[in-house]
Amino acid sequence: MPALVHDHPWKVAPREAIAIQKRLAAFVEPRPLPAPPQHIAGVDVSVRGDRVQTAIVVLALPGFEVMDQVIHRDEVAFPYVPGLLSFREMPAILPALDQLQVWPDVFMTDSHGLAHPRRFGLACHLGVMLGRPAFGVAKSRLTGCFAMPEPQKGATSPLMDKEEHIGAVVRTRANVLPVYVSIGQHITLGEAVALTLACAPRYKIPEPTRLAHRLSKNGTL
């Protein structure tokens, strides 16, 4: 794994964790990808009791061939606190990244990025710490308001928090509930939405995070 651009302690009180989020949120930078990504990684974390299991699956684009897959098991390092998911999951994600043999061009997380009360969800935390492109595709809304997009696949609507555009609500399958896409770091929202749709040829959940979720739950693809 490349050296972290930003680092900080993980065993902190919730108040300090919030302060860290607010400080690092200033480093979130939306910008276009330098080139079309050739490899994308899905990141998913499963928690069972006091144990956590992280799975990362690296896929080639556009065919979704599995290029790499890793699992890391550890103890839960942080209690469940709404809005502080990254402090619960990132300590298990970072060691998993060390195992990767194929480094992706962009990360897709099963979480939010900018669509977070402090504009610093797990996708932002991962992208800012690594200095690499990342975005979140979540199954449920954490914050913001939206109008339900049209029922056809590919329909979108803006996710807004007052006057701030924090993400997109994306229909990855016709007549199926949408997903919530937001940037993490070094990617535009338009690119994140396009990648989400390109990676969802059959299922509601895009292939990178769908396979990572299966690996984190079952230990196998």
Side-chain angles (χ1 to χ4, degrees):
M1 182 177 69
L4 297 178
V5 178
H6 297 277
D7 201 2
H8 59 79
W10 296 102
K11 293 184 178 180
V12 296
R15 178 180 294 183
E16 186 176 352
I18 290 171
I20 290 171
Q21 285 183 329
K22 291 179 177 179
R23 175 172 61 83
L24 292 182
F27 295 100
V28 174
E29 180 186 1
R31 69 186 191 201
L33 293 169
Q38 297 184 20
H39 297 98
I40 185 168
V43 182
D44 186 82
V45 180
S46 296
V47 178
R48 297 187 183 97
D50 62 351
R51 303 294 297 177
V52 63
Q53 182 161 286
T54 297
I56 303 175
V57 179
V58 181
L59 303 179
L61 294 174
F64 309 122
E65 298 90 352
V66 176
M67 306 302 295
D68 201 358
Q69 55 179 292
V70 300
I71 292 176
H72 175 75
R73 300 175 180 88
D74 212 332
E75 294 183 355
V76 173
F78 196 87
Y80 173 75
V81 179
L84 294 178
L85 177 70
S86 61
F87 281 83
R88 187 171 171 85
E89 297 190 354
M90 280 290 293
I93 292 173
L94 294 175
L97 292 171
D98 277 330
Q99 301 178 45
L100 284 178
Q101 300 298 310
V102 178
W103 197 254
D105 300 306
V106 61
F107 289 90
M108 175 191 291
T109 67
D110 179 22
S111 66
H112 292 282
L114 202 66
H116 179 276
R118 288 176 289 280
R119 307 297 181 260
F120 203 71
L122 190 149
C124 293
H125 213 147
L126 178 65
V128 166
M129 290 193 75
L130 296 177
R132 296 298 183 97
F135 66 102
V137 181
K139 295 182 283 291
S140 59
R141 179 187 64 88
L142 180 61
T143 191
C145 299
F146 65 96
M148 188 63 71
E150 295 297 317
Q152 70 271 20
K153 177 176 180 174
T156 68
S157 64
L159 181 62
M160 306 293 296
D161 191 346
K162 298 179 181 177
E163 301 300 317
E164 188 177 358
H165 191 179
I166 60 173
V169 185
V170 180
R171 195 86 70 171
T172 52
R173 288 191 68 194
N175 300 305
V176 171
L177 288 174
V179 295
Y180 301 82
V181 178
S182 57
I183 68 161
Q185 178 72 324
H186 294 172
I187 191 171
T188 67
L189 181 58
E191 289 172 326
V193 170
L195 276 171
T196 299
L197 290 169
C199 289
R202 294 181 60 194
Y203 302 99
K204 169 183 172 176
I205 305 302
E207 287 299 288
T209 47
R210 188 183 75 84
L211 292 177
H213 178 73
R214 193 160 77 182
L215 184 60
S216 74
K217 287 289 187 183
N218 304 325
T220 179
L221 293 177

